[in-house]
């Protein structure tokens, strides 16, 4: 389902297994299948939203793309380069074009460093400019994200949560990247501040031509910022489509259940809930066949057999459900 034309990032059959060690000797032999065969593409200049419950593997996917975590298997093509095959020198060069904004603005900033040192650190690591040029660049970046250049002399504890996240964004922009992984960048912020940061990200994308992978469990935020959306469940993508299609014509029962849980600020509006029963299965030993079948309201006996694959049921709308799309049967 990876489209070749106009893609900046292509993820092909990406897997990440974490070994489980148990007992006094640390012997286990089992694996947590955090990401288990994920494929998608991110087009230049777009925002691709990645959504799912906590523990579904979405953050691990983003970190594997950047090789902050080494994938177990698969391919990641960035701007024509196979990231999993390049050496340390090549990866160091490519890292200028790939950055990340972390979820927690409190723990992602070194409390012992001044803001100017934090934002300017990428410039030092990559040996860009002299001290004077770096100082000017830091002041420029701070102004770009809505802060004052004089804030470079302060420490992170002197700022609010929203301001700290702006500092994190400034740091991500220091090397003029093409691609940024936004790993739940607003989930730790107040709702009013969330809107400001999301609007800032959109403005920066328009000004600088950025491409985003926006990871979140906040569906309202994802609908607002994303061009296309992928829905993850237990290490697998179950639906991929445009934001409008996902939110107005969801096909997979898991997507429908997620959307039915979005609160509506209207006491007279009653949305039909899609009930889910049971607990989320373990990623160590996921269910056979469709991984969602143990909680699915429309599951059939055949869903226990082969694992469904993502198939295109409408232009650029992919779903992995053999009940909704019989051709999804492998």
């Amino acid at each position: 389902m990876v489209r070749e034309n106009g893609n900046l990032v292509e993820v092909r059959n990406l897997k990440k297994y974490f070994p489980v060690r148990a007992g006094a000797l640390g012997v286990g032999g089992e694996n947590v299948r955090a990401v288990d065969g994920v494929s998608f593409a991110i087009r230049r200049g777009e925002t691709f939203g990645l959504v799912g419950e906590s523990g579904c593997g979405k953050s691990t996917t983003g970190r594997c793309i950047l090789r902050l975590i080494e994938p177990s298997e698969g391919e990641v093509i960035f701007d024509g380069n196979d990231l999993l095959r390049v050496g340390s020198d090549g990866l160091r060069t490519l890292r200028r074009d790939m950055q990340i904004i972390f979820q927690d603005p409190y723990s992602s900033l070194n409390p012992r460093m001044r803001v100017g040192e934090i934002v300017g650190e990428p410039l030092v690591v990559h040996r860009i400019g002299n001290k004077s040029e770096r100082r000017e660049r830091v002041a420029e970046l701070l102004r770009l994200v809505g802060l004052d250049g004089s804030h470079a002399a302060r420490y992170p504890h002197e700022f609010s949560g929203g301001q700290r996240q702006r500092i994190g964004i400034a740091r991500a922009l220091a090397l003029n990247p093409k691609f940024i992984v936004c790993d739940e960048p607003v989930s730790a912020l107040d709702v009013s501040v969330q809107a400001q940061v999301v609007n800032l990200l959109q403005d920066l994308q328009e000004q600088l031509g950025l491409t985003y992978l926006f990871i979140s469990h906040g569906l309202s935020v994802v609908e607002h910022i994303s061009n296309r959306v992928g829905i993850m469940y237990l290490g697998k993508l179950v639906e991929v489509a445009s934001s409008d299609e996902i939110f107005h014509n969801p096909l997979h029962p898991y997507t429908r259940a997620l959307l039915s849980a979005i609160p509506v600020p209207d006491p007279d509006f009653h949305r039909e809930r899609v009930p889910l029963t049971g607990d989320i299965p373990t990623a160590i030993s996921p269910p056979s066949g469709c991984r969602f079948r143990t909680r699915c309201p429309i599951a059939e006996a055949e869903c226990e057999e082969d694992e469904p694959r993502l198939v295109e049921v409408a232009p650029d709308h992919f779903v992995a459900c053999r009940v909704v799309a019989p051709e999804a049967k492998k």
Side-chain angles (χ1 to χ4, degrees):
M1 61 147 288
V2 175
R3 303 292 196 189
E4 295 293 338
N5 296 328
N7 295 333
L8 180 63
V9 180
E10 298 170 15
V11 179
R12 302 170 182 169
N13 196 33
L14 185 67
K15 297 181 181 181
K16 179 57 184 177
Y17 295 172
F18 294 98
V20 177
R21 295 181 176 86
L25 299 178
V27 178
E30 295 183 308
N31 293 303
V32 175
R33 303 177 184 180
V35 181
D36 200 10
V38 168
S39 299
F40 62 92
I42 306 176
R43 298 162 187 163
R44 296 178 188 274
E46 80 165 350
T47 299
F48 186 91
L50 199 56
V51 180
E53 295 170 287
S54 295
C56 71
K58 54 188 186 295
S59 290
T60 303
T61 298
R63 293 174 187 231
C64 282
I65 290 173
L66 299 181
R67 280 187 63 182
L68 297 178
I69 299 175
E70 287 295 330
S72 302
E73 192 178 315
E75 291 181 284
V76 178
I77 310 298
F78 174 75
D79 204 15
N81 299 282
D82 188 342
L83 292 183
L84 306 190
R85 293 183 181 272
V86 298
S88 57
D89 291 339
L91 184 60
R92 180 186 178 91
T93 301
L94 288 171
R95 284 201 188 283
R96 294 190 182 193
D97 293 328
M98 306 180 298
Q99 295 295 318
I100 184 169
I101 300 168
F102 294 99
Q103 175 180 355
D104 187 356
Y106 295 88
S107 62
S108 64
L109 304 178
N110 189 333
R112 298 184 179 184
M113 295 175 66
R114 296 181 188 272
V115 167
E117 296 172 311
I118 293 172
V119 176
E121 188 174 24
L123 303 174
V124 175
V125 170
H126 289 271
R127 301 176 183 176
I128 297 174
N130 55 39
K131 285 188 177 181
S132 175
E133 291 169 337
R134 291 170 191 161
R135 196 179 303 114
E136 291 178 7
R137 175 62 175 161
V138 167
E140 177 190 353
L141 289 165
L142 291 176
R143 289 192 292 268
L144 189 62
V145 298
L147 298 175
D148 193 272
S150 63
H151 290 164
R154 299 184 184 179
Y155 288 93
H157 73 268
E158 300 180 67
F159 296 88
S160 67
Q163 289 174 321
R164 291 185 195 185
Q165 195 59 291
R166 289 173 186 266
I167 294 167
I169 294 171
R171 177 177 58 186
L173 295 174
L175 299 174
N176 292 316
K178 299 177 183 178
F179 174 59
I180 298 179
V181 174
C182 305
D183 188 6
E184 305 207 36
V186 298
S187 63
L189 306 177
D190 293 338
V191 175
S192 59
V193 180
Q194 285 185 12
Q196 295 173 20
V197 173
V198 168
N199 290 336
L200 171 63
L201 289 171
Q202 290 182 307
D203 291 342
L204 292 171
Q205 183 176 42
E206 185 175 343
Q207 292 176 38
L208 305 175
L210 298 170
T211 302
Y212 293 144
L213 171 61
F214 193 90
I215 299 167
S216 179
H217 58 262
L219 291 168
S220 298
V221 175
V222 170
E223 181 181 16
H224 178 71
I225 196 172
S226 300
N227 302 105
R228 290 187 303 130
V229 178
I231 307 294
M232 280 192 77
Y233 180 80
L234 208 63
K236 290 278 189 180
L237 277 173
V238 297
E239 189 164 3
V240 178
S242 68
S243 180
D244 187 64
E245 275 288 296
I246 287 288
F247 285 91
H248 296 96
N249 184 33
L251 297 180
H252 197 280
Y254 177 62
T255 308
R256 293 177 179 176
L258 285 180
L259 297 182
S260 74
I262 300 176
V264 179
D266 183 351
D268 298 322
F269 180 84
H270 299 284
R271 177 176 303 187
E272 182 180 354
R273 293 294 303 271
V274 178
L276 298 181
T277 59
D279 297 324
I280 302 176
T282 173
I284 297 176
S285 181
S288 61
C290 176
R291 298 189 176 191
F292 184 60
R293 66 175 176 80
T294 57
R295 304 174 69 201
C296 181
I298 62 171
E300 299 177 349
E302 291 79 5
C303 296
E304 192 174 345
E305 299 172 4
D306 297 327
E307 190 174 273
R309 60 187 177 89
L310 276 173
V311 295
E312 191 170 18
V313 295
D316 213 23
H317 192 157
F318 299 82
V319 66
C321 176
R322 60 186 297 161
V323 177
V324 173
E327 61 269 32
K329 178 181 177 181
K330 284 191 175 180

